[in-house]
Amino acid sequence: MNASKAGTRLPFPDTFMQFRRMRISNGLIALSAVLCLGAASAENDYAAAARDLDATIAKQYAYLEKLPDGQLPDSDLLTSEREAVNDGLTLLAYAEKRITSLADHHAITGSSFSNSWAVVPTYADLWIVNRDGRFIVDAVRESSPAANAGISVGDAIVAIEGTPTRQAVAEFWEALGLSATPTREEYAARVLVAGRRDRARKITVQNRSGRVRELVLNSMYDEEQEARPPISICDLERFTVVRFNNSLGEFASIEAFDQAMKTIPKDHALVLDLRDTPSGGNTTVARAVMGWFVTEGEAYQVHNRPAEERETGVPRQWIEQVLPREGKYRSSLPTILVGRWTGSMGEGIAVGFDALGAEVLGTRMAGLKGSIEDLRVGDTNLSVKLPTERLLTVAGLPREEFVPRDPPSDILVPGSC
């Protein structure tokens, strides 16, 4: 949990859609961080900014009531870190720890160090759950280091960097002075397995037959990001598949999807594959896609802003609609495929199509909570991305709790299209 003294400012525009296509050396990124975090006026009170961060989270975080004791976690260690803040880098180090204390994969700092923990799910290739006290692989990302190493769903992660997984998870939270609740345990396991951004990961895996392997896996940050179009189209005998290539934050996806829709045979069933959208996106792209399938305004998700009720005592909640797009309509609804690397706006599209009556098939999604907002930390250049609105299905179910239907055995498997 100790931060490197060489800071790295990583751009995270719209849930990091641009950064995933960048290839920059650690040295250049580190220089960027020092310049960006040091650019604030020398008159800035960084200690006050650290206190402001806590106050901002307590006021704005949409899921405060879901935390242990319904309040921002704190400890002697966090208090010590907060009181030691005296410049941009110590502020960033504290901000990373403070955000980590939420155990929320949708909450991140806008800047980071070169050795910061990987962002999950964007830079993760294993999804870990706790089953009966064992940390089990629930999903493996397609064409990733973990997949190439032969790790399978159902395998157990028995050690990380040579430390038994349960001990590593406990130490992760002990470094913040916090106890390891079930939610925190799974969060930490996923982060630890994703590893540090600047180095390979060492994990020990045991398969269902009891075979144990010690593996070294590249960081997902070191994986070459091949140039891909916003969407890929695959025509099969019975249907056409449109797969979004982690592109729900790219406005080019709208034009690409519109063009694709013009070429799909009317007698083909349409499948929208959202299983590679871990970085989320924006509602404009989402509404453009769903707009093809409505003839009038239709509700697709519900927003709730707890901060307003905390401040005024008056709750605020509203329904967001998808509207038809002139000259763009398909009468038959698509089938939606989702999985653990369906994140944020991908999840929003899934629950939106569910509200429209489409079938949503696959495994549990990433379960990223709410809608994030960029919030400045005090009078500095540092910001955090924090869920400030709760998102629910039209039926009132928290989006992160939505469960798709199990797909039939003949549905597409990863890599088949």
Side-chain angles (χ1 to χ4, degrees):
M1 297 299 297
N2 293 328
S4 163
K5 290 187 178 180
T8 302
R9 180 169 177 81
L10 301 181
F12 285 113
D14 252 357
T15 51
F16 16 96
M17 291 306 302
Q18 295 176 19
F19 176 66
R20 73 183 182 85
R21 298 192 182 279
M22 296 175 65
R23 301 290 297 168
I24 307 178
S25 72
N26 280 343
L28 289 177
I29 300 178
L31 176 60
S32 169
V34 173
L35 292 176
C36 289
L37 288 174
S41 166
E43 297 178 358
N44 281 338
D45 184 346
Y46 289 100
R51 295 190 295 272
D52 176 79
L53 172 60
D54 283 20
T56 295
I57 296 173
K59 179 180 179 181
Q60 298 288 349
Y61 183 52
Y63 296 88
L64 192 68
E65 290 81 3
K66 301 290 186 181
L67 296 173
D69 301 321
Q71 58 187 5
L72 186 64
D74 213 352
S75 67
D76 290 343
L77 284 171
L78 285 169
T79 298
S80 177
E81 290 269 356
R82 182 170 57 248
E83 293 176 349
V85 170
N86 57 26
D87 60 16
L89 295 181
T90 53
L91 175 62
L92 174 56
Y94 174 68
E96 286 197 330
K97 293 179 174 63
R98 169 47 73 200
I99 291 296
T100 295
S101 75
L102 302 177
D104 183 339
H105 292 304
H106 218 191
I108 61 173
T109 56
S111 302
S112 60
F113 295 101
S114 59
N115 70 339
S116 292
W117 294 109
V119 172
V120 177
T122 297
Y123 291 98
D125 56 0
L126 292 169
W127 193 270
I128 310 300
V129 296
N130 187 341
R131 291 181 185 157
D132 300 322
R134 303 187 77 211
F135 293 92
I136 304 298
V137 175
D138 188 61
V140 182
R141 192 169 182 172
E142 181 182 350
S143 302
S144 67
N148 294 336
I151 299 176
S152 300
V153 172
D155 289 353
I157 305 300
V158 296
I160 302 171
E161 302 295 331
T163 301
T165 306
R166 179 156 297 283
Q167 179 183 340
V169 166
E171 291 175 353
F172 182 95
W173 292 109
E174 287 169 3
L176 299 180
L178 300 175
S179 58
T181 66
T183 296
R184 288 173 179 168
E185 285 184 335
E186 290 194 335
Y187 172 92
R190 290 191 281 268
V191 170
L192 288 165
V193 168
R196 299 282 186 178
R197 305 179 186 201
D198 64 345
R199 69 198 70 169
R201 302 161 283 158
K202 299 177 182 178
I203 62 175
T204 306
V205 180
Q206 183 179 43
N207 67 16
R208 294 182 179 183
S209 299
R211 180 191 176 201
V212 175
R213 294 187 296 154
E214 294 183 359
L215 301 172
V216 177
L217 305 178
N218 284 342
S219 166
M220 287 291 289
Y221 286 81
D222 289 334
E223 291 297 289
E224 291 290 338
Q225 298 293 322
E226 63 176 285
R228 297 187 295 171
I231 64 173
S232 299
I233 304 170
C234 179
D235 285 315
L236 299 175
E237 183 178 350
R238 295 178 292 130
F239 41 75
T240 296
V241 181
V242 175
R243 183 180 177 94
F244 288 87
N245 296 319
N246 205 14
S247 58
L248 296 179
E250 300 177 10
F251 289 111
S253 297
I254 299 175
E255 177 64 22
F257 185 74
D258 289 348
Q259 292 300 318
M261 291 296 289
K262 295 176 182 178
T263 67
I264 296 171
K266 292 184 178 180
D267 61 346
H268 269 210
L270 175 62
V271 175
L272 300 186
D273 191 343
L274 301 174
R275 292 176 297 180
D276 183 23
T277 58
S279 300
N282 61 65
T283 62
T284 305
V285 175
R287 287 180 283 107
V289 172
M290 290 184 287
W292 270 89
F293 303 92
V294 299
T295 57
E296 60 184 11
E298 297 277 1
Y300 83 93
Q301 68 178 359
V302 176
H303 297 249
N304 180 284
R305 193 170 181 89
E308 188 161 334
E309 183 173 7
R310 291 175 196 149
E311 183 175 357
T312 67
V314 180
R316 184 184 182 192
Q317 183 166 295
W318 65 99
I319 295 173
E320 185 172 6
Q321 289 189 321
V322 57
L323 301 174
R325 300 176 62 203
E326 186 176 355
K328 298 176 175 60
Y329 176 66
R330 181 181 173 94
S331 59
S332 56
L333 288 166
T335 297
I336 312 300
L337 298 184
V338 298
R340 286 299 193 182
W341 280 270
T342 305
S344 193
M345 199 63 250
E347 298 177 81
I349 293 177
V351 301
F353 271 114
D354 179 72
L356 298 180
E359 276 198 309
V360 181
L361 306 177
T363 68
R364 292 291 294 261
M365 298 183 286
L368 298 183
K369 296 176 181 175
S371 175
I372 62 173
E373 181 178 350
D374 285 353
L375 301 172
R376 191 176 177 185
V377 179
D379 186 23
T380 73
N381 291 337
L382 179 64
S383 66
V384 295
K385 292 182 178 291
L386 199 69
T388 57
E389 294 175 3
R390 295 185 184 184
L391 294 177
L392 305 96
T393 69
V394 173
L397 180 73
R399 189 184 71 182
E400 64 273 16
E401 295 180 13
F402 178 83
V403 180
R405 277 205 320 113
D406 289 335
S409 58
D410 62 344
I411 200 67
L412 290 172
V413 296
S416 66
C417 196

